[in-house]
Amino acid sequence: MVTVRQDVHSTGIPVLCQSCEARHRGVCGALDPDQLVGLAKTSSKHTIEPGVELIGDAETVDSYSNVLSGVVKLTKSLSDGRQQIVGLQFAPDFLGRPFKVESAINAEAATAVSLCSFPRASVERMMRESPELEHRLLKQTLNELDEARDWMVTLGRKTAAEKVASFLLMIARNIDPTLDPNTNSTSFELPLTRADIADFLGLTIETVSRQLTRLRTDSVIRIDNNRHVTVDSLARLASRSGA
Amino acid sequence: MVTVRQDVHSTGIPVLCQSCEARHRGVCGALDPDQLVGLAKTSSKHTIEPGVELIGDAETVDSYSNVLSGVVKLTKSLSDGRQQIVGLQFAPDFLGRPFKVESAINAEAATAVSLCSFPRASVERMMRESPELEHRLLKQTLNELDEARDWMVTLGRKTAAEKVASFLLMIARNIDPTLDPNTNSTSFELPLTRADIADFLGLTIETVSRQLTRLRTDSVIRIDNNRHVTVDSLARLASRSGA
DNA sequence: CGTGAAATTGAGTGTCGTCAAAACCAGTGG
DNA sequence: CCACTGGTTTTGACGACACTCAATTTCACG
């Protein structure tokens, strides 16, 4: 299912897009130079501070974005304030819900985030013109659906200890996609606070903290400055994730 | 976002498809009579008994299907046997995971199910020829993603009582999509056993049963023959679903 | 009826949530 | 350099909700 992309001389490609990851691994790879030029005219780059809300619940969405760096958390809330993170978006994910005027979820910068944003209308016109763009979007959506279903298993059937281990594994793999299970050691910055991790795993802050210290006292991981995690034995971490 | 479908005289449409719901509300609506004829040649209808496995975990998928009636449950399991239902498919949902040779989930008939199946290759050729087909698929996938995320909130943040109430509401709405919250009474057959409901909600059979009897003793619902549920006060059920 | 499976009910336990206090950390200003 | 502040994280004591194990009842089907 690999299609060879015609490699035109890069003069036709907007400067903005030249080295953009979204053009290589993201949805923009679907577009030819002319289309890129058209879209780039209406696009704009932003950097966003952690904690800032990108899309509010029940707000009308007037733009779509590509995540260029950082982590965006997608959340849903119950009326009494209980919150659940229902997805995390990393570069070069496409951010936004096509074919719906109202968003049913919140999007918030979990870390510092940089975005490339497009007006709603431009993207939708482009989608009508380019089936390849819809194709990429379909692929990303299917991947997100797979991820969501994996997390449903975690949320519904795993213990607190397994949830935290699974979370650490997921982050480790996302930071370093080439990570193979035989290496025993990795190291990374947690993109989420304890509160976020709790909201992601359907737990309380205290339980997350307790499970992390348990992993630490069992010397499966080390933690420095609350955020920096070193996994000493990836295999032992995996064995605690409930498969 | 309503597109007017050209209503060709029905002589061009295969008999098999004439009154098929998948042509009206499902993905087949994307196809013109010629394409329908092509696809119908390779399609076949099946009826399947409850409990029969349609797609096994880690099996190679060689066909796609439309659900014509009944309910299909999508499940995922942990190595020690714990199971989680990650999706339910009703008519006229499209069943199958495009662009992946291996399925990571199990599909099993929850009730008696009738399917219209197509060889993998036919569907994939059709997808290449018809952007409209991919468009419909994208829409269904986005809807499934929305549903999955809704259930993540239920799994992660709701109490057992709220989970069961949410489940009953979801089924009621699916049986009768026109159901408005002001009507106080509906009645339907549960398409799932208690064990299935437990796997869907991340609970045990016993807890599901206890919550159902509580709803019954509080006269929010009535239950006949284990399967037939009558909701006496939809509003009261909704108020217990945690919003 | 009689049988086996599914569902309900009960008693006891454990995991995780709640509430509260202490420790830690980063940043600010004396 | 140190004290102070606000926020985050950790730790502890306790309790409740949901799980486990077990017995009973109900249901579907021969």
Side-chain angles (χ1 to χ4, degrees):
Chain A
M1 210 7 138
V2 178
T3 58
V4 181
R5 189 168 49 80
Q6 202 77 358
D7 246 319
V8 268
H9 52 298
S10 54
T11 46
I13 297 174
V15 193
L16 200 67
C17 309
Q18 295 263 4
S19 65
C20 180
E21 205 182 348
R23 218 187 85 248
H24 296 111
R25 301 193 297 118
V27 289
C28 289
L31 305 175
D32 63 35
D34 282 353
Q35 293 172 314
L36 271 181
V37 170
L39 197 57
K41 262 192 222 130
T42 61
S43 77
S44 58
K45 275 196 179 182
H46 302 278
T47 63
I48 286 128
E49 293 302 299
V52 174
E53 186 174 78
L54 303 172
I55 306 173
D57 192 5
E59 258 177 36
T60 60
V61 182
D62 54 345
S63 70
Y64 296 105
S65 304
N66 280 314
V67 178
L68 303 183
S69 71
V71 179
V72 174
K73 55 179 183 175
L74 307 178
T75 67
K76 273 177 158 289
S77 298
L78 299 178
S79 48
D80 63 359
R82 281 174 289 175
Q83 202 174 50
Q84 176 68 44
I85 294 184
V86 296
L88 291 177
Q89 312 244 248
F90 301 84
D93 289 343
F94 179 83
L95 183 62
R97 169 65 166 88
F99 319 131
K100 271 226 170 138
V101 209
E102 287 228 335
S103 167
I105 64 180
N106 278 64
E108 187 182 319
T111 64
V113 166
S114 70
L115 295 180
C116 182
S117 304
F118 317 96
R120 185 182 177 75
S122 310
V123 174
E124 290 180 352
R125 175 160 27 81
M126 208 58 89
M127 284 197 346
R128 259 171 270 123
E129 287 171 17
S130 164
E132 175 64 16
L133 180 58
E134 277 214 342
H135 182 73
R136 297 242 181 172
L137 224 41
L138 175 56
K139 274 189 156 173
Q140 176 184 318
T141 307
L142 284 165
N143 281 332
E144 285 183 34
L145 185 57
D146 286 347
E147 281 169 29
R149 286 174 169 167
D150 279 343
W151 281 110
M152 289 174 77
V153 182
T154 303
L155 288 172
R157 289 305 187 194
K158 290 190 185 172
T159 64
E162 292 170 334
K163 285 181 178 181
V164 171
S166 303
F167 171 76
L168 291 177
L169 278 177
M170 191 230 80
I171 295 297
R173 275 196 276 259
N174 225 303
I175 302 285
D176 179 7
T178 68
L179 193 65
D180 91 284
N182 298 327
T183 27
N184 26 19
S185 177
T186 350
S187 187
F188 53 88
E189 295 292 316
L190 285 178
L192 302 184
T193 65
R194 301 291 188 273
D196 285 338
I197 299 174
D199 281 350
F200 190 63
L201 298 175
L203 299 170
T204 58
I205 311 180
E206 294 93 326
T207 302
V208 171
S209 179
R210 276 185 251 271
Q211 296 303 333
L212 283 173
T213 51
R214 205 151 91 73
L215 286 173
R216 201 180 38 197
T217 58
D218 295 0
S219 58
V220 178
I221 62 172
R222 272 173 293 158
I223 303 180
D224 303 304
N225 299 332
N226 281 340
R227 287 289 192 120
H228 190 85
V229 175
T230 304
V231 182
D232 281 319
S233 169
L234 215 48
R236 288 217 294 144
L237 186 59
S239 75
R240 291 173 181 231
S241 73
Chain B
M1 204 18 135
V2 178
T3 57
V4 180
R5 190 169 48 82
Q6 202 79 355
D7 246 319
V8 266
H9 51 299
S10 53
T11 46
I13 297 173
V15 192
L16 199 67
C17 309
Q18 296 262 4
S19 65
C20 181
E21 205 182 347
R23 219 188 84 248
H24 295 112
R25 302 194 298 117
V27 290
C28 290
L31 306 174
D32 63 36
D34 282 352
Q35 293 172 314
L36 271 180
V37 169
L39 198 58
K41 260 190 223 131
T42 61
S43 76
S44 58
K45 275 195 177 181
H46 303 277
T47 63
I48 287 128
E49 293 302 298
V52 173
E53 188 175 78
L54 302 172
I55 307 173
D57 192 5
E59 258 176 36
T60 60
V61 182
D62 54 346
S63 70
Y64 297 105
S65 305
N66 280 314
V67 179
L68 302 183
S69 72
V71 179
V72 175
K73 55 178 183 179
L74 307 178
T75 67
K76 275 179 156 286
S77 298
L78 300 178
S79 48
D80 63 0
R82 281 174 288 175
Q83 202 175 50
Q84 176 67 43
I85 294 185
V86 296
L88 292 177
Q89 313 243 244
F90 301 83
D93 289 345
F94 179 84
L95 184 63
R97 170 64 166 89
F99 318 131
K100 272 230 169 132
V101 213
E102 288 228 336
S103 167
I105 63 180
N106 278 63
E108 186 181 320
T111 64
V113 167
S114 70
L115 295 180
C116 182
S117 303
F118 318 95
R120 185 182 178 76
S122 311
V123 174
E124 290 178 353
R125 174 160 28 82
M126 208 57 90
M127 283 196 349
R128 260 172 268 122
E129 287 172 17
S130 163
E132 175 64 16
L133 181 58
E134 277 215 341
H135 182 73
R136 297 241 181 173
L137 225 41
L138 175 56
K139 274 188 156 175
Q140 177 183 316
T141 307
L142 283 165
N143 281 332
E144 284 183 33
L145 185 56
D146 286 345
E147 280 169 30
R149 287 175 169 167
D150 279 343
W151 281 111
M152 289 175 77
V153 182
T154 302
L155 289 171
R157 288 305 187 193
K158 290 190 186 173
T159 64
E162 291 170 335
K163 285 180 178 181
V164 171
S166 304
F167 171 75
L168 291 178
L169 277 177
M170 191 230 77
I171 296 297
R173 274 196 275 260
N174 226 303
I175 301 284
D176 178 7
T178 69
L179 195 64
D180 91 284
N182 298 327
T183 31
N184 26 19
S185 178
T186 349
S187 186
F188 52 89
E189 295 291 316
L190 284 178
L192 302 184
T193 64
R194 300 292 187 273
D196 285 338
I197 299 174
D199 281 349
F200 190 64
L201 297 176
L203 299 171
T204 58
I205 309 181
E206 295 94 326
T207 302
V208 170
S209 179
R210 276 185 250 273
Q211 295 304 332
L212 283 173
T213 50
R214 207 151 89 74
L215 285 173
R216 201 179 38 196
T217 57
D218 294 0
S219 59
V220 178
I221 62 172
R222 270 173 294 158
I223 304 180
D224 303 304
N225 300 334
N226 281 341
R227 287 290 191 118
H228 190 84
V229 174
T230 305
V231 181
D232 281 319
S233 169
L234 215 47
R236 288 219 290 145
L237 185 60
S239 76
R240 290 173 181 232
S241 74

